[in-house]
Amino acid sequence: MGIRLDKNAYGKNAIRLSKIIRHADRHDIRQIGVDVSLQGDFDAVHVEGDNSKVLPTDTMKNTVYALAKDRFTDSIEEFGLVLADHFLTQNPQVSAVTIDLAEECWARMAFDGMAHPHAFVNGGSEKHLASVSRDRKGTILSAGIGDLLILKTTDSGFEGYIKDSYTILKETADRILSTSCDVTWVYDGIPNGLTGLYSGIRELLLRSFAHHKSLSVQHTLYAMGEAVLKEFPVVKEITLKMPNRHHILFNFQPFGLENNNEVFIATEEPYGYITGTVVREG
């Protein structure tokens, strides 16, 4: 019975990059993290220690910074396409490239109704995500949102579930629904107007969450995904991860007080973990 190398890849992760785009009257700030991964003809380096087909990961890092100077001028999706094209066309030993990008959300400060030209405030944990997977046959482009912390104080319930000898959870038709949501969607090809698409999809996800009468986290997850596929034909599928950040009604009975859905114990762990992918039929 023989032994051989199976699937393998290598690259450079956590390349942190900040770029100032200088206009005559203002600055823009872009701050991203980039992961680069290459697959290809790398048997010799693993089996024989032959580095002749290995592009150093330090070179990958330098390439990201160098190309950012003139080519990172728009969306992270488009910059990811630039990087994937470079690594694939410049390295014949490479058969596939994956570029993962995450952008910090900086918003311009405003004072007295006027936007400040060069001061910004961070939007918290939320990140704009993108991923480019390119091989010699084609490209798969996806985008998404990471750590989108959202909450609504009503229009959410959880009733009619299985109850066994270990169930103590009480049914409720009115509860807090809170989640730190991760969303990724896959485009059909490489559409135009990627910045506008991202903004439109993000707004629709928030609108769907806010207005949906939720009977469970799963119910809202599907409603959000369904809304995106109906509104944006360029999206092939969408995946949502929605951990349920529980808010437990505090028991005021020992103090002779009544809690009318006002005071809750906010917990992060343990949490319910709900995931789902919504796709088009046919």
Side-chain angles (χ1 to χ4, degrees):
M1 181 179 294
I3 299 173
R4 65 177 178 83
L5 179 68
D6 204 351
K7 294 179 180 178
N8 64 91
Y10 84 105
K12 195 74 162 182
N13 278 18
I15 304 168
R16 307 301 182 197
L17 184 156
S18 295
K19 180 177 180 179
I20 301 173
I21 302 174
R22 301 177 186 275
H23 306 278
D25 59 344
R26 72 189 190 282
H27 292 169
D28 293 331
I29 183 69
R30 309 294 300 275
Q31 194 169 66
I32 64 174
V34 181
D35 296 344
V36 179
S37 179
L38 306 183
Q39 298 178 49
D41 181 11
F42 300 123
D43 283 19
V45 65
H46 288 88
V47 178
E48 302 168 13
D50 179 355
N51 295 326
S52 59
K53 292 185 178 180
V54 175
L55 181 72
T57 65
D58 189 66
T59 303
M60 298 179 195
K61 176 204 68 180
N62 294 341
T63 301
V64 171
Y65 287 112
L67 291 180
K69 183 181 187 305
D70 295 322
R71 304 296 300 276
F72 182 28
T73 58
D74 206 325
S75 68
I76 58 172
E77 291 90 341
E78 288 169 312
F79 186 49
L81 291 167
V82 167
L83 292 172
D85 181 68
H86 173 88
F87 287 117
L88 197 61
T89 57
Q90 298 298 314
N91 295 277
Q93 79 281 16
V94 172
S95 60
V97 179
T98 300
I99 307 292
D100 293 319
L101 307 99
E103 180 168 19
E104 296 279 348
C105 298
W106 290 97
R108 193 177 300 280
M109 291 184 187
F111 304 99
D112 302 320
M114 298 291 292
H116 196 279
H118 57 258
F120 302 84
V121 60
N122 190 268
S125 61
E126 181 186 345
K127 290 180 174 58
H128 175 182
L129 308 176
S131 181
V132 179
S133 297
R134 174 169 287 182
D135 59 21
R136 301 292 174 182
K137 296 180 180 179
T139 303
I140 298 174
L141 174 64
S142 62
I145 309 169
D147 293 328
L148 178 63
L149 185 58
I150 49 180
L151 177 151
K152 61 181 181 179
T153 56
T154 190
D155 275 347
S156 172
F158 189 50
E159 302 173 287
Y161 45 83
I162 294 173
K163 302 176 183 66
D164 65 15
S165 58
Y166 298 113
T167 303
I168 61 173
L169 184 69
K170 294 182 179 180
E171 293 190 354
T172 178
D174 186 11
R175 66 172 183 171
I176 292 174
L177 176 56
S178 175
T179 181
S180 180
C181 188
D182 289 333
V183 191
T184 56
W185 55 89
V186 180
Y187 287 115
D188 186 5
I190 312 298
N192 295 321
L194 288 164
T195 299
L197 280 171
Y198 176 83
S199 298
I201 292 169
R202 181 184 181 279
E203 181 179 355
L204 182 57
L205 287 166
L206 295 178
R207 184 184 299 274
S208 301
F209 175 84
H211 293 289
H212 183 244
K213 180 68 175 178
S214 177
L215 303 180
S216 64
V217 178
Q218 291 91 331
H219 189 214
T220 297
L221 180 153
Y222 181 80
M224 293 168 70
E226 181 185 40
V228 171
L229 292 188
K230 285 183 174 180
E231 183 71 21
F232 293 92
V234 295
V235 176
K236 291 172 60 176
E237 65 179 53
I238 183 168
T239 297
L240 298 98
K241 300 176 182 178
M242 298 179 67
N244 190 359
R245 293 195 169 193
H246 301 296
H247 288 69
I248 302 167
L249 198 66
F250 185 79
N251 182 14
F252 276 147
Q253 288 182 351
F255 316 118
L257 300 173
E258 186 175 355
N259 193 347
N260 297 312
N261 265 15
E262 295 170 296
V263 179
F264 298 83
I265 303 170
T267 66
E268 292 190 5
E269 296 179 348
Y271 54 84
Y273 189 64
I274 294 89
T275 70
T277 300
V278 185
V279 301
R280 300 186 186 278
E281 292 185 326

